[in-house]
Amino acid sequence: MPDTPPPPLEPLREDWDHALCVVAHPDDLEFGAAAAVARWTGQGKQVGYCMVTSGEAGIDALSPEECRPVREREQVESARLVGVDHVEFLGWPDGVVEYGVPLRAAIAAAVRRFRPQVVVTGNFRETFGGTNLNQADHIAVGRAVVDAVRDAGNRWVFADQLVGGGGDLQPWGGVGEVWAAGSPEASHGVDTTATFDAGVASLEAHSAYIDGLGWEDFDPREFLEGISRPTGQRLGVAMGAAFEVFPMGWGE
Ligand SMILES: [Zn+2]
């Protein structure tokens, strides 16, 4: 086995004040990114969460109807623990999200409502590194996020959402970058040493989901340490969260 250490990570920019996190499922942000969110909200930045599904197919022992309110409640609490009050659920069907124009429209509307400079999503590469294949909803949502960010800025795309087209929104072309949390192609990172505990608490808030996974002895703190310590080493700090950066072609 070659023994080359992973390349260093660049710090992510922090010269922004609104970020919208758009992910497929409740819990997607809590498996690593939430401690970075806690850092940002601690700096006074506004961060919103937009969940494409409610994760209602995520607990084997609960029907989707029973599961949906449980998972939405856990996500709202999990967000609160890292300083996020704005949590929306787009209501797409968990497990069978399809990439396409309707999904892009729904995400573009969320971007036009929140008007962020940064949009955070989850890893949408084929794997998480190695041979661990990614999940279909994650790939569909991440691809749609990148496209929807462009759509949001174009007044002739999804014009029915806009004032003058029947809606009450304005175009929003202010997103400079999309960041994919936990990507195996990550080039950037966030020092989460000071907010690591908040990140752990926000994962622990998904207790019904974690219990339902039936992973013997799953410990949120241990799990997050296992990801965050090696990432921190690449940043030269104790704990870190990694992101792949997609510039959205808006220069200054
Ligand atoms: Zn997920």
Side-chain angles (χ1 to χ4, degrees):
M1 287 286 287
D3 204 19
T4 337
L9 297 171
E10 295 271 322
L12 269 184
R13 55 196 291 182
E14 293 187 329
D15 60 341
W16 49 272
D17 53 37
H18 280 69
L20 181 65
C21 303
V22 184
V23 292
H25 311 117
D27 78 70
D28 286 354
L29 290 163
E30 285 70 39
F31 280 94
V37 172
R39 173 187 169 96
W40 297 327
T41 59
Q43 295 168 338
K45 301 183 192 314
Q46 298 292 316
V47 179
Y49 282 6
C50 174
M51 301 289 134
V52 171
T53 79
S54 294
E56 70 277 6
I59 302 181
D60 189 58
L62 292 185
S63 71
E65 295 69 34
E66 297 169 296
C67 189
R68 179 179 292 105
V70 173
R71 299 218 64 199
E72 290 186 353
R73 244 189 338 267
E74 289 189 342
Q75 184 61 55
V76 167
E77 174 61 7
S78 167
R80 190 188 66 78
L81 290 167
V82 292
V84 174
D85 302 323
H86 173 103
V87 184
E88 53 180 303
F89 298 90
L90 297 182
W92 289 67
D94 183 18
V96 289
V97 176
E98 286 183 307
Y99 173 87
V101 170
L103 180 58
R104 280 168 48 187
I107 298 172
V111 170
R112 286 169 170 175
R113 283 193 292 273
F114 200 75
R115 304 170 75 80
Q117 292 98 26
V118 169
V119 173
V120 177
T121 188
N123 171 35
F124 57 99
R125 299 276 182 190
E126 196 171 306
T127 72
F128 281 97
T131 53
N132 294 318
L133 286 175
N134 204 345
Q135 194 266 356
D137 291 351
H138 299 164
I139 295 171
V141 168
R143 287 186 53 212
V145 163
V146 170
D147 292 334
V149 160
R150 293 205 188 94
D151 299 333
N154 186 333
R155 71 173 58 259
W156 307 116
V157 174
F158 309 133
D160 58 313
Q161 298 173 355
L162 303 176
V163 171
D168 58 359
L169 299 171
Q170 298 287 343
W172 177 251
V175 179
E177 293 179 343
V178 171
W179 298 343
S183 167
E185 310 283 325
S187 51
H188 287 66
V190 177
D191 177 357
T192 56
T193 310
T195 50
F196 180 75
D197 288 346
V200 172
S202 83
L203 179 54
E204 287 170 344
H206 291 279
S207 60
Y209 174 68
I210 291 170
D211 291 348
L213 289 173
W215 294 345
E216 200 118 334
D217 298 326
F218 175 76
D219 180 72
R221 174 172 297 272
E222 215 173 279
F223 178 88
L224 289 173
E225 276 182 7
I227 305 176
S228 309
R229 280 193 194 285
T231 305
Q233 278 172 6
R234 295 175 65 191
L235 276 168
V237 299
M239 300 284 189
F243 295 83
E244 182 172 5
V245 171
F246 298 91
M248 296 311 296
W250 148 97
E252 44 189 84

